[in-house]
């Protein structure tokens, strides 16, 4: 029986870790994410243009320096 690999966080590091484990032959992998979407800081938000012309704005919520 193969042990379960548990990854805390569905951000870039967690998703990459899951990918590496899959490539190395692990199949029993659980990624736990607190938010309803995966991606962590790679997510973006969409703001509807108040002019209503269909040209909405997208803002990255990624890492900022």
């Amino acid at each position: 029986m193969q042990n379960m690999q548990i990854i805390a966080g569905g951000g870039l590091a967690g998703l990459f870790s899951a990918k590496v484990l899959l490539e190395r032959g692990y199949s029993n992998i659980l990624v736990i994410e607190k938010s309803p979407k995966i991606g962590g800081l790679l997510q973006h938000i969409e703001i509807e243009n108040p002019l209503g012309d269909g040209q909405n704005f997208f803002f990255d919520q990624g890492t900022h320096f």
Side-chain angles (χ1 to χ4, degrees):
M1 184 168 121
Q2 186 182 29
N3 293 331
M4 179 179 286
Q5 309 302 311
I6 299 174
I7 300 171
L12 180 60
L15 296 176
F16 184 75
S17 298
K19 178 185 181 300
V20 169
L21 288 170
L22 283 170
E23 290 172 348
R24 293 188 180 179
Y26 292 90
S27 60
N28 199 8
I29 302 168
L30 175 64
V31 178
I32 301 171
E33 172 57 44
K34 68 179 177 180
S35 141
K37 294 182 180 179
I38 61 170
L41 295 176
L42 298 176
Q43 295 182 32
H44 68 269
I45 57 173
E46 180 178 2
I47 306 295
E48 187 174 335
N49 188 337
L51 298 177
D53 60 6
Q55 299 293 319
N56 294 341
F57 302 101
F58 294 90
F59 295 96
D60 291 333
Q61 292 180 307
T63 305
H64 301 282
F65 295 97

